[in-house]
């Protein structure tokens, strides 16, 4: 009886020893795979081409648009013209005001007893593309035309190309009624080219803004 008990204790002891040995072996194996932190050097991360967010692109384009609009506004002598409306493109979480669909500027002309009001949509493009430019989307053209009909105001599209928004190399003044497509070629633009350095001129006799 005593021999059997002793044998049982011996087997239990052997089992405990094997368990401890196994744990030690496993720990050593895991430790062998751990990195030597003292030997690790900080590797500089390579630059990434992070794409601009929608908001950043919007603000960048808005800045260019605002600069060109300011250039256009400054080309109307205060003696004869008064800026009645200067709309800004604002939005938050995809919500745009209705007025953002209207032309950028409304200008009042006054010379003695002659008074007129007209609207201007300003567009600046950094360069010509395929011998012309895409100046607007189809739905924008429709919005401008609806505005013209609703307000009974003539609308003109002033386009600046090349140079900078504050100092374009080329400038064109085109009646909206002459535009039906999003793309306009250089040949179509040429008759409406305006001297960039000259002020705008409203002909009260012809009731139109001349290049």
């Amino acid at each position: 009886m005593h021999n059997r008990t002793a044998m049982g204790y011996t087997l239990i002891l052997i089992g405990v020893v094997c368990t401890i040995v196994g744990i030690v072996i496993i720990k050593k194996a895991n430790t062998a795979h751990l990195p030597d932190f003292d030997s690790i050097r900080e590797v500089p991360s390579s630059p990434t081409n992070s794409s601009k967010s929608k908001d950043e692109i919007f603000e960048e384009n808005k800045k260019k648009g605002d600069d060109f609009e300011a250039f256009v506004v400054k080309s109307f002598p205060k003696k004869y013209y008064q800026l009645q409306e200067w709309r800004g493109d604002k939005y938050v979480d995809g919500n745009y005001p209705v007025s953002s669909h209207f032309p950028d500027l409304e200008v009042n002309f006054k010379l003695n007893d002659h008074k007129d009001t007209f609207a201007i949509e300003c567009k600046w493009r950094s360069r010509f593309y395929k011998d012309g430019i895409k100046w607007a989307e189809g739905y924008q053209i429709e919005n401008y035309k609806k505005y013209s009909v609703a307000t009974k105001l003539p609308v003109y599209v002033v386009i600046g190309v090349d140079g900078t928004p504050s100092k374009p190399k080329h400038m064109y003044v085109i009646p909206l009624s002459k535009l039906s497509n999003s793309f306009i070629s250089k040949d179509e633009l040429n008759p409406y080219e305006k001297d960039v350095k000259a002020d705008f001129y409203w002909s009260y006799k012809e009731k139109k803004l001349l290049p």
Side-chain angles (χ1 to χ4, degrees):
M1 181 72 178
H2 290 290
N3 291 335
R4 290 181 180 179
T5 302
M7 180 65 69
Y9 284 132
T10 302
L11 292 174
I12 292 173
L13 180 61
I14 293 172
V16 170
V17 171
C18 289
T19 300
I20 293 173
V21 172
I23 292 173
V24 171
I25 292 173
I26 291 173
K27 283 188 175 181
K28 286 185 177 181
N30 288 338
T31 304
H33 289 87
L34 291 176
D36 181 3
F37 289 103
D38 291 334
S39 66
I40 295 177
R41 296 181 181 179
E42 185 177 351
V43 180
S45 57
S46 58
T48 57
N49 295 325
S50 57
S51 58
K52 294 182 180 179
S53 68
K54 182 180 178 180
D55 287 340
E56 288 175 326
I57 295 173
F58 177 85
E59 290 300 326
E60 184 177 299
N61 290 335
K62 184 179 184 301
K63 175 67 167 57
K64 293 176 182 178
D66 289 346
D67 288 348
F68 182 60
E69 288 172 21
F71 176 80
V72 171
V73 168
K74 291 176 183 178
S75 298
F76 283 101
K78 294 180 181 179
K79 184 178 179 179
Y80 306 109
Y81 304 93
Q82 181 182 29
L83 189 61
Q84 178 170 296
E85 193 74 52
W86 188 350
R87 300 179 178 93
D89 293 327
K90 298 180 180 68
Y91 88 101
V92 60
D93 295 334
N95 295 313
Y96 295 82
V98 175
S99 61
S100 66
H101 301 297
F102 302 158
D104 300 311
L105 311 173
E106 279 184 22
V107 182
N108 292 331
F109 167 81
K110 182 179 179 181
L111 177 61
N112 299 325
D113 295 331
H114 302 285
K115 297 179 182 180
D116 292 300
T117 301
F118 52 92
I120 293 178
E121 174 62 23
C122 303
K123 299 290 185 183
W124 181 79
R125 297 292 181 265
S126 60
R127 61 187 182 276
F128 291 103
Y129 175 71
K130 292 186 177 180
D131 221 25
I133 62 164
K134 181 178 180 179
W135 72 275
E137 299 293 341
Y139 73 90
Q140 291 177 309
I141 300 173
E142 288 303 312
N143 286 337
Y144 303 148
K145 290 186 176 182
K146 288 178 181 178
Y147 166 89
S148 182
V149 172
T151 60
K152 298 181 180 179
L153 293 179
V155 176
Y156 293 84
V157 180
V158 176
I159 300 174
V161 184
D162 207 348
T164 66
S166 300
K167 192 177 180 181
K169 187 174 180 180
H170 302 282
M171 200 166 178
Y172 307 90
V173 181
I174 313 163
L176 179 64
S177 59
K178 301 293 184 181
L179 295 168
S180 56
N181 298 317
S182 297
F183 185 86
I184 181 169
S185 67
K186 277 186 179 181
D187 290 339
E188 293 172 310
L189 284 169
N190 287 337
Y192 302 102
E193 187 160 13
K194 173 189 176 296
D195 183 351
V196 175
K197 297 179 180 179
D199 290 333
F200 284 98
Y201 180 77
W202 175 264
S203 173
Y204 66 85
K205 293 181 178 179
E206 300 179 70
K207 297 289 183 182
K208 66 180 182 180
L209 190 64
L210 301 178

